[in-house]
Amino acid sequence: MEKNGNNRKLRVCVATCNRADYSKLAPIMFGIKTEPEFFELDVVVLGSHLIDDYGNTYRMIEQDDFDINTRLHTIVRGEDEAAMVESVGLALVKLPDVLNRLKPDIMIVHGDRFDALALATSAALMNIRILHIEGGEVSGTIDDSIRHAITKLAHYHVCCTRSAEQHLISMCEDHDRILLAGCPSYDKLLSAKNKDYMSIIRMWLGDDVKCKDYIVALQHPVTTDIKHSIKMFELTLDALISFNKRTLVLFPNIDAGSKEMVRVMRKKGIEHHPNFRAVKHVPFEQFIQLVAHAGCMIGNSSCGVREVGAFGTPVINLGTRQIGRETGENVLHVRDADTQDKILQALHLQFGKQYPCSKIYGDGNAVPRILKFLKSIDLQEPLQKKFCFPPVKENISQDIDHILETLSALAVDLGGTNLRVAIVSMKGEIVKKYTQFNPKTYEERINLILQMCVEAAAEAVKLNCRILGVGISTGGRVNPQEGIVLHSTKLIQEWNSVDLRTPLSDTLHLPVWVDNDGNCAAMAERKFGQGKGLENFVTLITGTGIGGGIIHQHELIHGSSFCAAELGHLVVSLDGPDCSCGSHGCIEAYASGMALQREAKKLHDEDLLLVEGMSVPKDEAVGALHLIQAAKLGNAKAQSILRTGEPVAPGSHATGSVLRYQGSGREPSVSLREPVFCILFRGTFPIF
């Protein structure tokens, strides 16, 4: 005892609530009892141990020759959600007197039951150190939340698997107070199989039953979906009846919904069916023998995915109650079923098989490790537990004026040629921008968007910008309510029925808005540009394609099919050139950047593009800018091409994709050839 600085025995209180947790706690209790020079043991019994309907399982504690210091009746009957809450409240009322009387140095609490949460809460508030067994594991139902809540209250942790240990560390628990010991029940399991088992099988299932020719069924309600779990239980019983093998059915635990499950058993006559034996409780050592030599175990008990693996017995795990547990190859999962057929097929697949024994949850030496860990606890150390939070980047300014200045958004502009991402301030100023070519395939494109956004978000932290959300401007027809690109022209390939919102929101944990680039342009003009203060206006954008946006009575108009302002796809000539939308003679087919590039290439191939004072380097592709330059230098054919299709809108006329404003006297808020993030606008036209 000199090692830990304690000059007296360590007074340990072990509190057990039900038959399941006692199977894990009993090996520790036996170990403590064998070392009286180091420990004093107090045993508190509460919960379903003391209820006749659940087998009065406190008797097995007495049969194991443990003195029960305190019996607490804490269960409020009703077997529904309210009864569980009331039971926790009743335990919280009764426990303080017990703990004041016993004054333990440390309380050992197991698992994830609601009774255990009451124990941990009481001990923590009364400044009693808590050792939590089996923390860090993952399963389904409310048990996960309760288990992790107990973890945060506990001072010391004994976990069973390497993954559970890593989960505890991820939850900011002190690594020095975590012991990877394995499951205490495995200390019994791995030495149990050679005992006389046939007498136990005959006692519970009948004299005519052979080894590996029966089933053990143990199914509990799922507290977060009681109705569905009862339906699954009903289908399980139907499948077992059809399978026609002798079956030992254990009654469910006391969770909300158990009463309805018992009603299902009685409705189907399970207690009187010749193939079934229905029991409230089997002593753990006998239960070990029964599952070790069963042809199969079925249900949703943690025992099936944990302890039974030590024997290689086939297991059928039903539903979601153990969905996150680590399992061996002996476990076959049936997550959901509408009829008994899927469960019946699983029985045919699993029954009678023998799998390799699994030691995922222990090697049979957990108790010696736990006792050594208990002896190392220094009662002179401060009681207040410390959390090991990951390091936080320092020197980030928290001045309120600075924060307000750098509230920002990520802007994503996905056009026919380029993919751009920018950090944009609330004032509409571009803090930093990133540009890449838009990939040709969906997979490459979505991966690049995610990569660029993640990099921009990381850079925003360094720039002291708080990203509030993500806005995506994309070509194509967009449903902004769902964040889905419904359809795109050939300018953006593989861009139909694409959910943009979900992957970005899941990756960045930020709200995401998606809309057509023309609509984004109109919104940008209304907020920052020439549309500011105007009630009604139209915005026209030109780039690789042509689009637009309509603001009517200060609101953006999408249209019933989300293409109200597809101005580039207004047909101006039925005999015109092919358009990327599949039609002919659209404005975009004449005046877009891609259309002008097409015409420029034709002239260049015919040696009709270049004029005096003009050249095109060999490594440079011919494009719309060369056509415009040739027109300015007097090339008549280039000028003729640029005049095709005018006028484009009231009060203006187009020279290719260059707009010259007339009538309103206003100039565009940005250069006609300057790329703009999320807002590819080139001009705004008031509606007269």
Side-chain angles (χ1 to χ4, degrees):
M1 297 295 288
E2 292 103 20
K3 182 179 178 182
N4 60 17
N6 304 329
N7 53 15
R8 59 179 176 80
K9 297 178 183 180
L10 190 69
R11 189 160 192 174
V12 181
C13 176
V14 177
T16 173
C17 311
N18 54 64
R19 66 191 182 196
D21 76 11
Y22 182 66
S23 69
K24 317 294 178 67
L25 294 171
I28 302 172
M29 293 162 65
F30 280 114
I32 290 172
K33 195 174 180 179
T34 61
E35 299 195 28
E37 69 276 19
F38 291 107
F39 305 107
E40 288 183 21
L41 176 63
D42 293 319
V43 180
V44 175
V45 173
L46 65 158
S48 61
H49 273 309
L50 303 170
I51 298 178
D52 181 63
D53 286 351
Y54 294 89
N56 282 324
T57 49
Y58 73 90
R59 292 185 184 131
M60 66 182 178
I61 302 172
E62 294 177 331
Q63 290 166 3
D64 285 339
D65 202 26
F66 289 111
D67 294 326
I68 298 176
N69 298 83
T70 305
R71 293 176 173 83
L72 284 181
H73 291 272
T74 57
I75 297 298
V76 177
R77 300 306 298 272
E79 285 79 19
D80 59 13
E81 295 95 331
M84 291 168 64
V85 177
E86 290 167 357
S87 297
V88 172
L90 184 58
L92 289 171
V93 169
K94 292 187 174 184
L95 280 167
D97 287 340
V98 175
L99 298 179
N100 268 329
R101 174 168 52 83
L102 296 178
K103 291 184 169 51
D105 297 314
I106 189 164
M107 173 177 278
I108 298 180
V109 177
H110 170 269
D112 49 28
R113 309 297 302 141
F114 58 86
D115 326 67
L117 179 61
L119 287 164
T121 302
S122 301
L125 291 173
M126 297 184 71
N127 291 323
I128 297 168
R129 298 168 195 267
I130 302 166
L131 175 67
H132 184 208
I133 309 292
E134 291 187 9
E137 295 185 17
V138 179
S139 63
T141 80
I142 194 65
D143 295 355
D144 260 351
S145 300
I146 293 175
R147 185 186 310 109
H148 301 329
I150 295 172
T151 289
K152 304 321 293 180
L153 293 168
H155 303 81
Y156 308 96
H157 312 275
V158 172
C159 56
C160 302
T161 69
R162 183 70 65 184
S163 293
E165 180 187 36
Q166 291 303 312
H167 292 158
L168 291 171
I169 294 170
S170 298
M171 292 165 68
C172 304
E173 296 300 317
D174 187 347
H175 199 177
D176 292 336
R177 295 192 172 194
I178 300 171
L179 173 67
L180 176 56
C183 182
S185 63
Y186 266 60
D187 290 25
K188 274 191 174 183
L189 294 176
L190 297 179
S191 60
K193 197 171 180 181
N194 294 326
K195 296 182 180 179
D196 178 24
Y197 57 86
M198 283 308 302
S199 61
I200 296 172
I201 293 173
R202 293 189 187 105
M203 178 174 66
W204 290 100
L205 287 145
D207 293 335
D208 58 336
V209 177
K210 298 178 182 178
C211 176
K212 293 292 182 182
D213 198 36
Y214 62 90
I215 297 168
V216 176
L218 178 52
Q219 199 158 340
H220 302 301
V222 178
T223 54
T224 50
D225 195 353
I226 294 171
K227 185 177 179 181
H228 183 262
S229 64
I230 293 168
K231 178 65 176 175
M232 282 287 285
F233 184 54
E234 190 171 359
L235 295 175
T236 302
L237 294 179
D238 289 340
L240 288 169
I241 292 169
S242 299
F243 196 64
N244 198 30
K245 288 289 182 181
R246 191 66 55 84
T247 302
L248 180 69
V249 180
L250 279 81
F251 277 63
N253 64 19
I254 202 168
D255 282 350
S258 58
K259 190 160 57 177
E260 287 84 349
M261 293 180 77
V262 173
R263 287 197 191 104
V264 170
M265 288 175 62
R266 288 173 177 158
K267 177 183 174 183
K268 293 184 178 295
I270 296 300
E271 291 171 289
H272 306 290
H273 195 288
N275 262 354
F276 288 85
R277 301 291 185 270
V279 298
K280 295 176 181 177
H281 168 65
V282 178
F284 184 65
E285 289 193 355
Q286 296 178 23
F287 183 72
I288 289 173
Q289 300 300 326
L290 290 169
V291 297
H293 299 92
C296 180
M297 182 175 180
I298 187 170
N300 62 5
S301 169
S302 62
C303 173
V305 298
R306 293 170 56 93
E307 282 82 0
V308 178
F311 309 116
T313 301
V315 172
I316 300 170
N317 178 49
L318 300 171
T320 59
R321 191 170 184 266
Q322 306 297 337
I323 196 167
R325 296 270 191 198
E326 297 172 73
T327 62
E329 61 180 292
N330 65 310
V331 179
L332 176 65
H333 299 279
V334 180
R335 302 297 189 197
D336 199 2
D338 297 322
T339 67
Q340 63 165 303
D341 294 347
K342 193 182 291 186
I343 301 172
L344 197 55
Q345 288 173 1
L347 284 166
H348 284 292
L349 285 171
Q350 286 286 77
F351 187 80
K353 283 187 177 180
Q354 180 62 46
Y355 289 91
C357 298
S358 167
K359 293 186 179 181
I360 293 174
Y361 287 93
D363 61 1
N365 297 299
V367 172
R369 297 185 184 112
I370 293 170
L371 295 182
K372 185 177 179 181
F373 189 58
L374 283 169
K375 292 173 188 176
S376 72
I377 293 173
D378 186 356
L379 299 180
Q380 305 306 314
E381 285 184 350
L383 182 67
Q384 176 64 51
K385 68 178 289 186
K386 295 180 179 179
F387 298 103
C388 298
F389 295 107
V392 178
K393 185 176 177 64
E394 298 179 356
N395 300 322
I396 296 295
S397 171
Q398 293 298 308
D399 180 84
I400 186 64
D401 292 329
H402 192 73
I403 291 172
L404 290 175
E405 287 176 359
T406 55
L407 292 179
S408 307
L410 284 186
V412 180
D413 167 29
L414 198 147
T417 304
N418 292 311
L419 171 59
R420 301 181 178 96
V421 173
I423 304 167
V424 182
S425 74
M426 296 294 284
K427 298 177 181 178
E429 298 167 346
I430 296 174
V431 179
K432 188 160 185 177
K433 61 183 177 181
Y434 311 80
T435 303
Q436 298 275 1
F437 284 112
N438 187 355
K440 298 299 182 184
T441 67
Y442 162 78
E443 188 171 345
E444 291 176 326
R445 186 178 301 123
I446 201 72
N447 288 337
L448 182 58
I449 292 172
L450 292 172
Q451 177 189 331
M452 292 176 71
C453 285
V454 168
E455 290 175 359
E459 185 68 20
V461 175
K462 298 176 184 177
L463 297 171
N464 206 22
C465 294
R466 296 199 176 187
I467 302 298
L468 303 180
V470 183
I472 304 176
S473 161
T474 176
R477 188 162 59 93
V478 177
N479 180 340
Q481 286 83 25
E482 301 293 334
I484 295 174
V485 181
L486 300 173
H487 176 263
S488 181
T489 65
K490 296 175 184 177
L491 294 182
I492 307 178
Q493 299 172 16
E494 297 185 18
W495 209 234
N496 299 326
S497 302
V498 175
D499 181 359
L500 275 178
R501 176 177 295 158
T502 301
L504 262 77
S505 181
D506 289 348
T507 301
L508 300 173
H509 307 291
L510 290 169
V512 176
W513 290 267
V514 186
D515 211 333
N516 170 266
D517 50 11
N519 292 333
C520 290
M523 295 291 285
E525 284 286 358
R526 188 184 71 171
K527 177 74 174 177
F528 300 110
Q530 297 294 337
K532 207 169 183 179
L534 292 178
E535 183 178 4
N536 306 300
F537 65 88
V538 174
T539 295
L540 179 68
I541 66 169
T542 63
T544 305
I546 292 178
I550 300 171
I551 300 293
H552 177 59
Q553 295 181 350
H554 300 292
E555 295 295 329
L556 180 66
I557 303 300
H558 284 97
S560 59
S561 57
F562 308 107
C563 53
E566 287 290 352
L567 305 178
H569 298 290
L570 295 176
V571 176
V572 294
S573 173
L574 295 176
D575 298 324
D578 293 344
C579 182
S580 60
C581 70
S583 187
H584 302 276
C586 298
I587 292 175
E588 185 172 295
Y590 287 103
S592 66
M594 183 170 284
L596 297 182
Q597 182 183 39
R598 180 190 67 226
E599 297 300 324
K601 285 181 177 178
K602 283 183 181 178
L603 290 180
H604 188 63
D605 291 344
E606 296 171 5
D607 292 328
L608 299 175
L609 178 65
L610 301 183
V611 295
E612 188 177 349
M614 184 181 172
S615 64
V616 179
K618 289 184 178 181
D619 59 347
E620 184 178 320
V622 174
L625 288 177
H626 297 110
L627 186 72
I628 296 167
Q629 183 184 7
K632 288 181 177 179
L633 292 174
N635 186 319
K637 288 191 175 293
Q639 291 171 348
S640 175
I641 291 170
L642 292 181
R643 283 195 296 270
T644 303
E646 74 173 326
V648 174
S652 71
H653 64 272
T655 304
S657 58
V658 179
L659 296 177
R660 297 201 301 274
Y661 285 75
Q662 297 176 351
S664 68
R666 295 188 175 184
E667 289 299 319
S669 56
V670 293
S671 165
L672 298 178
R673 289 294 170 185
E674 178 184 344
V676 181
F677 295 91
C678 250
I679 43 175
L680 298 179
F681 52 91
R682 298 295 185 268
T684 301
F685 305 93
I687 300 174
F688 298 104

